[in-house]
Amino acid sequence: IPKQFDILGHTVEIVFRDDLLDDCECHGRFIASRNLIELQSGQAFSFTLATFWHEVMHAIATHMGMKDINDNEEQIDKLGQGVAQVLKTKRGKA
């Protein structure tokens, strides 16, 4: 998981928090006004990775003005899972 990435002229920072579950009762969140993804620390890596891609999809949908998709957690989750699977499959291949 990178410390940051760029999307449509915006740099999105990724940080881990110990208290995210206490603060928002979530495993991750994208804060658009700060271009920030917060992830709960201490989770299994596979769960953290899935959460990361879910939040990346929120960042993309936000910056592309895709409100209908951004407001649909199920669609966002499926898109994140799809991207993660493609990248996992691609790993180690030319």
Side-chain angles (χ1 to χ4, degrees), residues 29-79:
R29 65 180 168 189
F30 172 61
I31 303 171
S33 63
R34 294 177 54 204
N35 279 319
L36 177 68
I37 291 175
E38 296 180 327
L39 300 171
Q40 176 66 40
S41 60
Q43 303 177 112
F45 181 72
S46 60
F47 192 83
T48 299
L49 193 59
T51 304
F52 167 73
W53 284 111
H54 176 98
E55 300 307 330
V56 167
M57 293 304 113
H58 275 301
I60 291 170
T62 295
H63 289 302
M64 295 188 77
M66 304 169 85
K67 185 171 177 17
D68 290 346
I69 290 175
N70 204 21
D71 290 344
N72 187 318
E73 291 295 319
E74 185 178 343
Q75 285 182 344
I76 287 289
D77 205 45
K78 288 178 181 178
L79 286 169

